[in-house]
Amino acid sequence: MKILGIETSCDETSAAVISDDRHVLSNVISSQIKTHQHYGGIVPEIASRMHAEAMMIVLESALSQAQCTLADIDLLSVTRGPGLIGALMVGVATVKALSFARHIPFVGVHHIEGHIYANELDQTETIVYPALALVISGGHTQLVVLRAYGDYQLLGTTLDDAVGEAFDKTARHLGLGYPGGPAIDLMAKKGDPKRYVFPKTVVPGVYNFSFSGLKTAAIQLAASLDLNGVNSDDPRLWDFVASFQYRIVDTLLAKTIMAAKDFSVKTILLAGGVAANSAIRAAVLTLQEQYHVVVPPMKFCTDNGAMVALAGLYAFLHRGADHYTLAPRANVLLTDQ
Ligand code: KG4
Ligand code: ZN
């Protein structure tokens, strides 16, 4: 069985073909980042237009790289939410049109479900249930218990900024460009994480997060140290980003350990774009003695069609195909599909 997955929830237009033994046959990603960089963040209207422009080219090259045609595809899968509504619309409409023209069944999947199952792509890993997912992306920060495919319990979420947002907004303030997460990660390697002490945030709900206080503290400290726009060779900047990142890693790890213990999980896994962060990966990997720890391969951390294809395969096996009435949803919880 071959599955074609399409992702257009944010600023990557992606199409991929995988086989039902979890091998990735192609995974084509067209990133819009260079365009959005001019604005210091994603402009939704531009994102939708660029998806419409790129979609069929990306699709064609995903099929040709997988050495197949639509006639070989047994299932179509698409991200139906959450994400930018105009962007989601492009993927959902494309998949419905393909399904209509070629009589191929289709499913709509949750974007975060895609990030979770990215861990199993190319057969790198198998999730052993019950598992705890630390979901960290530009739009989400969540702790989720997974008891089986489709059986999820949301333990906590961020009450304000997502962790990727805190990275990006702080980096933008420091003049490190957009998206700033990767830049901070790289620079933090050279810095002293103990040089500056960032405040710990106390939030209602033991598994909830809050990053807007940390972001504000960072912006204020950067201003008082005169770091905004400072040369990237300045070691004070390295120490600053290392200390900032240290507080994020420390917070994420503490809550993950607590939840893993409270819910007696077997596996701890990372999901989402921020799962590419080297310090966060290293921190969760320290838990390997007590848990089966799974981190997604770097190439599948960013939004991509392959993860959507695999989540789609599981959805199809679990609940069958979707109908033409499937609508994109900008805000939909993993536990509320
Ligand atoms: O999952 P994703 O591709 O898009 C969303 O669904 O949000 O995540 C994008 C986020 C951005 O905030 C970006 O700065 C962050 O992931 N990111 C990182 C790293 N690589 C990407 N944050 C920290 N360290 C990284 N190495
Ligand atoms: Zn994502």
Side-chain angles (χ1 to χ4, degrees):
M1 189 172 173
K2 286 195 173 73
I3 307 104
L4 172 70
I6 289 181
E7 157 66 39
T8 63
S9 68
C10 194
D11 60 344
E12 268 98 19
T13 316
S14 180
V17 180
I18 70 163
S19 51
D20 59 357
D21 61 0
R22 298 189 273 139
H23 274 116
V24 179
L25 307 177
S26 68
N27 190 29
V28 178
I29 304 172
S30 166
S31 170
Q32 307 175 354
I33 281 190
K34 284 214 159 67
T35 305
H36 297 293
Q37 266 167 353
H38 298 298
Y39 307 94
I42 296 167
V43 185
E45 167 82 22
I46 294 176
S48 315
R49 286 191 226 171
M50 290 186 76
H51 284 306
E53 253 175 65
M55 187 72 259
M56 301 320 282
I57 300 162
V58 167
L59 177 61
E60 249 184 341
S61 63
L63 287 170
S64 83
Q65 282 182 30
Q67 298 185 324
C68 64
T69 68
L70 272 181
D72 303 307
I73 301 297
D74 305 289
L75 176 67
L76 302 161
S77 177
V78 64
T79 303
R80 59 96 53 124
L84 304 169
I85 194 69
L88 291 164
M89 210 94 85
V90 177
V92 170
T94 302
V95 157
K96 283 190 195 178
L98 293 175
S99 169
F100 183 76
R102 307 300 297 239
H103 308 289
I104 308 168
F106 75 93
V107 285
V109 302
H110 195 278
H111 183 73
I112 298 301
E113 204 166 59
H115 276 302
I116 289 169
Y117 289 101
N119 283 289
E120 292 192 335
L121 285 170
D122 270 346
Q123 295 184 324
T124 38
E125 276 292 350
T126 303
I127 297 170
V128 182
Y129 298 102
L132 176 72
L134 173 63
V135 180
I136 40 179
S137 76
H140 298 88
T141 310
Q142 296 177 346
L143 277 168
V144 185
V145 173
L146 322 169
R147 295 202 172 82
Y149 170 80
D151 182 357
Y152 312 130
Q153 181 183 356
L154 180 62
L155 301 184
T157 182
T158 179
L159 302 179
D160 40 58
D161 288 355
V163 66
E165 224 174 333
F167 270 114
D168 293 343
K169 288 179 178 169
T170 305
R172 190 165 66 183
H173 228 80
L174 295 168
L176 298 177
Y178 177 86
I184 289 185
D185 186 1
L186 211 64
M187 195 176 278
K189 290 184 205 294
K190 300 187 283 190
D192 172 8
K194 299 284 172 66
R195 169 88 178 267
Y196 302 105
V197 179
F198 285 91
K200 278 189 181 173
T201 313
V202 181
V203 282
V206 281
Y207 307 116
N208 284 334
F209 300 94
S210 161
F211 292 103
S212 101
L214 173 64
K215 174 198 67 190
T216 308
I219 291 171
Q220 282 170 356
L221 183 60
S224 72
L225 294 170
D226 226 3
L227 285 179
N228 302 347
V230 83
N231 196 306
S232 59
D233 290 339
D234 191 327
R236 286 182 314 144
L237 184 61
W238 306 346
D239 293 345
F240 182 89
V241 295
S243 306
F244 170 76
Q245 181 176 271
Y246 174 82
R247 175 57 70 225
I248 288 182
V249 175
D250 183 50
T251 306
L252 294 175
L253 191 68
K255 300 228 172 190
T256 302
I257 292 172
M258 187 166 57
K261 217 158 129 196
D262 291 354
F263 288 83
S264 312
V265 298
K266 293 192 172 127
T267 306
I268 294 178
L269 62 93
L270 289 182
V274 186
N277 183 274
S278 58
I280 299 173
R281 292 170 83 91
V284 295
L285 285 167
T286 61
L287 307 175
Q288 262 172 330
E289 272 182 23
Q290 301 113 288
Y291 300 97
H292 176 52
V293 179
V294 180
V295 295
M298 290 296 277
K299 63 180 173 184
F300 300 129
C301 284
T302 326
D303 292 348
N304 65 84
M307 68 184 201
V308 176
L310 185 55
L313 170 65
Y314 290 149
F316 182 70
L317 297 175
H318 194 73
R319 59 176 161 83
D322 275 321
H323 303 286
Y324 289 136
T325 48
L326 178 91
R329 288 171 73 179
N331 296 301
V332 56
L333 285 176
L334 187 59
T335 44
D336 206 18
Q337 297 179 71

